[in-house]
Amino acid sequence: MSKLIAIANQKGGVGKTTTAMNLGAALSLHRNKKVLLVDLDPQANLSEYLGYSEPDGKPTMTQLILTVCRSSVISPEVVKDSIRHNEINNLDYIPADINLANADVAMSSALSRETILKRILSANIIDDYDYVLIDCLPALGVLLINALTAAQEMVIPVQTQKFSIDGLTALTGLHGQIAATINPALSQPLVLPTMVDNTNVSKNTLRTLTERFTDTMLNTVIHKSVEAAKSSESGVALCKTKNRLGEEYKALASEIVGR
Ligand SMILES: Nc1ncnc2c1ncn2[C@@H]1O[C@H](COP(=O)(O)OP(=O)(O)OP(=O)(O)O)[C@@H](O)[C@H]1O
Ligand SMILES: [Mg+2]
């Protein structure tokens, strides 16, 4: 059975997309897992990172969601057709595009709108994957609710900088509500400190996070490095070259597999 992990934080620029891509690549290339990445952000940064250039005639996440909004169900063939392959990093993925922002509107009036993504990801082809990583958009809305309704785990990348902890209560509150109602399979949120550096603000934020999330902090931390930007530019995952962040994402993959 596949494990679905939502990578979420409504705060922008905290390392969600970088984590989806590089945790995915480390799971695939170093842990020999079959991985599907799902881009659930109209900004489509993950799709671009993976080298997707639209349009290629195949459905994106936007069409999958609109299909379910219109007819409640989706054929497994359409879901299969939406899966692309990224050769360099050995990753399969379902891309997003800017029109996903409009799908969000259609979803709001659809019946049982929280379970739209769950219905898409229940296609039998999804069972072929060991891990499905969902890269969420930076907003607390219907798309995020869908990700948390479909997932069994939520990883929250938190940039260890000032103000970065402020929105966490709203996010963990939403997580708690979903776990208590529509998705009892959702485990405790896992906190991943990102962009850690030697400044006092970073050290203090890390200390506060550790105190607040004692039981659910991941052991791995991701340091700040220009390698992240270089990787998104080249499309080559961090674990494929020799650098500190690559080692950290490999450690994260081992930690996730060991859970
Ligand atoms: N560990 C890191 N060290 C330095 N820069 C990083 C690190 N991780 C990510 N970045 C850079 O920070 C920026 C934001 O990262 P990323 O796109 O992963 O965040 P995000 O949370 O997905 O953003 P959004 O909320 O807009 O989707 C990018 O330019 C990325 O290259
Ligand atoms: Mg992103």
Side-chain angles (χ1 to χ4, degrees):
M1 209 182 97
S2 30
K3 178 157 257 184
L4 274 69
I5 305 177
I7 301 177
N9 189 336
Q10 80 275 27
K11 196 168 163 53
V14 297
K16 294 181 289 294
T17 300
T18 305
T19 298
M21 172 75 165
N22 291 289
L23 171 59
L27 285 167
S28 168
L29 300 170
H30 295 274
R31 305 299 310 208
N32 211 17
K33 301 293 180 190
K34 197 163 158 55
V35 178
L36 176 71
L37 299 183
V38 174
D39 195 345
L40 201 64
D41 181 356
Q43 299 179 98
N45 294 152
L46 179 64
S47 307
E48 202 180 317
Y49 200 161
L50 287 157
Y52 170 70
S53 57
E54 51 178 323
D56 61 1
K58 301 209 288 175
T60 67
M61 191 38 88
T62 309
Q63 282 93 48
L64 299 186
I65 287 176
L66 289 177
T67 303
V68 179
C69 286
R70 267 195 308 269
S71 45
S72 297
V73 288
I74 189 157
S75 85
E77 287 72 37
V78 178
V79 178
K80 190 172 180 195
D81 197 31
S82 74
I83 298 175
R84 280 73 163 178
H85 182 66
N86 172 280
E87 195 68 48
I88 328 170
N89 306 297
N90 193 33
L91 290 166
D92 284 359
Y93 67 101
I94 302 177
D97 60 62
I98 185 69
N99 297 318
L100 190 55
N102 308 329
D104 180 313
V105 178
M107 288 168 96
S108 300
S109 58
L111 200 63
S112 198
R113 58 176 187 247
E114 298 87 357
T115 63
I116 292 170
L117 183 66
K118 190 182 168 86
R119 279 176 273 163
I120 293 168
L121 297 179
S122 65
N124 45 16
I125 184 162
I126 304 299
D127 288 338
D128 292 355
Y129 295 94
D130 299 305
Y131 288 91
V132 178
L133 307 184
I134 308 166
D135 183 25
C136 297
L137 73 172
L140 288 174
V142 68
L143 283 167
L144 178 63
I145 293 172
N146 266 265
L148 297 184
T149 302
Q152 291 114 38
E153 300 258 19
M154 168 169 79
V155 171
I156 314 177
V158 180
Q159 189 181 359
T160 52
Q161 294 301 325
K162 204 162 169 58
F163 308 126
S164 58
I165 299 186
D166 295 354
L168 287 181
T169 310
L171 180 59
T172 53
L174 178 67
H175 170 282
Q177 272 179 297
I178 293 172
T181 55
I182 36 182
N183 186 10
L186 187 62
S187 342
Q188 288 289 314
L190 301 173
V191 174
L192 175 70
T194 62
M195 304 187 212
V196 173
D197 62 19
N198 272 331
T199 59
N200 283 335
V201 58
S202 183
K203 287 178 194 154
N204 291 339
T205 309
L206 199 52
R207 195 174 312 119
T208 310
L209 278 175
T210 313
E211 283 163 11
R212 204 165 135 192
F213 296 96
T214 320
D215 301 331
T216 58
M217 275 283 276
L218 287 157
N219 296 322
T220 311
V221 304
I222 308 294
H223 280 85
K224 190 176 201 164
S225 162
V226 292
E227 293 297 333
K230 284 195 208 162
S231 164
S232 61
E233 190 59 37
S234 66
V236 178
L238 290 156
C239 66
K240 289 204 68 159
T241 56
K242 210 173 151 44
N243 68 82
R244 181 183 195 174
L245 290 193
E247 293 306 317
E248 291 172 346
Y249 275 108
K250 279 191 233 172
L252 178 62
S254 302
E255 199 179 342
I256 293 288
V257 170
R259 288 185 61 82

